């Protein structure tokens, strides 16, 4: 046990000794990061530069890809440093910054997936009202609410966490997350726990109810429609459903690992579970939307990568 005034850094205890293999792992992780950055930047540029893609669904996708970049950048630079380091520590300010960025990414991601499901609901179930109900001003308001909600909720969370008195500095993860830091507190954490429940309900439970409702409506409409309309609905909904399921599974793994004692689990498995939702999602979304949505696929075939960035 240690006094809070002595906690100036945290030790990330899940890292294992890799020897010379750490250089191979460093190159692999760096390649994954560069592919993620290039894929998301490419799709952002494609959407911004082509007027034919200035539609609600693609505006939401552009915001999603920006969030993927933020999420990846909050994890990979530190991960690369830790892989090469012999001492796996992180200062308290950088730890708080990382957990703020990661939690903001998670909150914004789920909100964006929610409004994207609402967008698909309007497009498929209310096509005649779509252009009026999903106007440019509506898109701007929705995106503003999504990003402000994520930023403000995580600022409040960080202010609570940073004011706690800590009695330890060992985090059983490969990166910093809020619950791991709160577990080190020797002061009362009831306020943090109550706020965490409120945030969980408002950012996971309520959006999930809305998502389930919209897709039930979409299924009902598609079941009574013609074959062509069903195919069109499936082509636009499948990438979103896959992204939603993948992100939900990944975040569920992370919540389970944070809330329960995982010391009996092999370190390699714990590392994989920790990184799943912050790596697979960042690579899957550009792949799904870049190759499955016909408009983006056609533009990518016509214009090479180098030309788009010039």
């Amino acid at each position: 046990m240690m006094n809070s005034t002595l906690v100036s850094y945290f030790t990330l205890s899940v890292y294992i000794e890799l020897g010379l293999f750490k250089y191979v792992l460093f190159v692999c992780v760096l390649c994954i990061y560069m592919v993620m950055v290039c894929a998301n930047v490419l799709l952002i540029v494609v959407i911004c530069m082509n007027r034919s893609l200035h539609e609600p669904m693609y505006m939401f996708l552009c915001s999603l890809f920006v969030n993927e970049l933020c999420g990846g950048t909050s994890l990979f630079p530190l991960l690369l440093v830790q892989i090469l380091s012999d001492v796996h520590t992180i200062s308290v300010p950088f730890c708080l910054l990382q957990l703020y960025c990661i939690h903001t990414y998670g909150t914004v991601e789920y909100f964006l997936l929610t409004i994207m499901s609402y967008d698909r609901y309007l497009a498929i179930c209310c096509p005649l009202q779509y252009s009026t109900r999903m106007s440019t001003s509506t898109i701007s308001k929705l995106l503003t609410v999504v990003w402000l909600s994520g930023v403000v909720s995580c600022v409040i969370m960080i202010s609570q966490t940073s004011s706690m008195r800590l009695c330890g500095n060992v985090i059983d993860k490969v990166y910093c997350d809020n619950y791991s830091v709160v577990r080190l507190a020797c002061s009362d954490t009831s306020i943090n726990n109550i706020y965490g429940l409120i945030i969980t309900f408002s950012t996971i439970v309520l959006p999930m109810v809305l998502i389930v409702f919209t897709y039930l409506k979409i299924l009902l409409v598609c079941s009574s429609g013609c074959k062509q309309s069903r195919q069109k609905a499936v082509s636009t909904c499948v990438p979103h459903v896959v992204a939603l399921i993948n992100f939900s599974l990944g975040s569920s793994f992370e919540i389970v690992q944070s809330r329960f004692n995982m010391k009996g689990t092999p370190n390699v498995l714990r590392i994989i579970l920790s990184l799943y939702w912050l790596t697979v999602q960042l690579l899957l979304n550009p792949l799904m939307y870049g190759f499955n949505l016909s408009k983006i696929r056609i533009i990518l075939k016509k214009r090479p990568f180098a030309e788009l960035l010039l």
Side-chain angles (χ1 to χ4, degrees):
M1 303 291 283
M2 58 180 68
N3 190 281
S4 61
T5 57
L6 299 178
V7 179
S8 59
Y9 66 91
F10 294 106
T11 299
L12 304 173
S13 65
V14 179
Y15 285 95
I16 56 179
E17 181 59 38
L18 297 172
L20 294 178
F21 183 70
K22 67 182 180 181
Y23 299 106
V24 177
L25 181 61
F26 176 86
V27 173
C28 292
V29 173
L30 180 61
C31 290
I32 291 173
Y33 181 47
M34 295 307 297
V35 168
M36 183 274 294
V37 170
C38 291
N40 283 283
V41 169
L42 172 63
L43 290 171
I44 292 170
V45 171
V46 167
I47 292 172
C48 291
M49 291 181 61
N50 290 272
R51 286 189 170 275
S52 62
L53 299 180
H54 291 182
E55 300 174 1
M57 181 176 71
Y58 297 102
M59 293 295 100
F60 294 140
L61 278 178
C62 186
S63 188
L64 186 73
F65 298 141
V66 171
N67 190 50
E68 309 290 10
L69 285 175
C70 296
T73 304
S74 67
L75 170 70
F76 280 94
L78 175 68
L79 184 62
L80 291 167
V81 171
Q82 294 294 335
I83 288 173
L84 293 181
S85 177
D86 295 325
V87 181
H88 306 294
T89 60
I90 180 173
S91 66
V92 171
F94 273 107
C95 181
L96 293 175
L97 176 63
Q98 185 182 48
L99 68 88
Y100 166 77
C101 293
I102 288 176
H103 283 273
T104 301
Y105 156 75
T107 303
V108 172
E109 186 85 357
Y110 219 83
F111 282 157
L112 284 173
L113 291 173
T114 303
I115 62 173
M116 287 170 68
S117 68
Y118 176 66
D119 172 73
R120 292 300 83 206
Y121 161 75
L122 289 180
I124 296 171
C125 301
C126 311
L128 298 179
Q129 306 173 28
Y130 181 73
S131 58
T132 55
R133 295 177 65 175
M134 196 56 74
S135 61
T136 303
S137 61
T138 302
I139 297 171
S140 301
K141 290 175 183 176
L142 286 173
L143 291 177
T144 301
V145 169
V146 164
W147 284 93
L148 279 181
S149 299
V151 169
V152 172
S153 63
C154 290
V155 165
I156 297 173
M157 178 189 69
I158 291 297
S159 65
Q160 293 177 340
T161 302
S162 61
S163 63
M164 294 187 308
R165 186 164 61 92
L166 302 179
C167 294
N169 71 337
V170 179
I171 296 176
D172 295 326
K173 299 286 284 293
V174 294
Y175 59 86
C176 292
D177 75 305
N178 188 63
Y179 190 70
S180 297
V181 176
V182 171
R183 290 173 64 179
L184 300 174
C186 46
S187 55
D188 184 24
T189 61
S190 57
I191 295 178
N192 300 74
N193 293 332
I194 293 172
Y195 182 73
L197 290 173
I198 294 173
I199 290 298
T200 301
F201 181 79
S202 59
T203 60
I204 297 178
V205 178
L206 286 180
M208 182 55 70
V209 171
L210 179 59
I211 290 170
V212 171
F213 170 79
T214 55
Y215 273 100
L216 285 176
K217 287 286 189 179
I218 290 172
L219 285 174
L220 289 174
V221 170
C222 290
S223 63
S224 60
C226 62
K227 183 178 179 180
Q228 185 178 1
S229 63
R230 286 199 299 268
Q231 290 177 341
K232 185 177 180 181
V234 168
S235 66
T236 58
C237 290
V238 165
H240 179 264
V241 172
V242 172
L244 180 64
I245 292 174
N246 180 72
F247 186 73
S248 298
L249 286 175
S251 55
S252 297
F253 291 155
E254 180 61 13
I255 291 172
V256 169
Q257 185 174 211
S258 297
R259 298 285 173 172
F260 297 97
N261 187 356
M262 301 286 288
K263 289 189 175 181
T265 307
N267 276 356
V268 174
L269 180 59
R270 292 165 64 186
I271 292 172
I272 292 173
L273 291 177
S274 291
L275 297 178
Y276 178 87
W277 76 300
L278 286 168
T279 52
V280 177
Q281 185 77 1
L282 307 184
L283 295 170
L284 180 66
N285 281 351
L287 181 67
M288 290 295 298
Y289 291 111
F291 289 96
N292 276 286
L293 296 182
S294 58
K295 282 189 176 182
I296 293 180
R297 189 171 64 247
I298 291 170
I299 292 173
L300 288 175
K301 287 180 178 179
K302 290 182 178 178
R303 305 182 66 180
F305 176 80
E307 182 186 350
L308 286 168
L309 296 181
L310 292 176

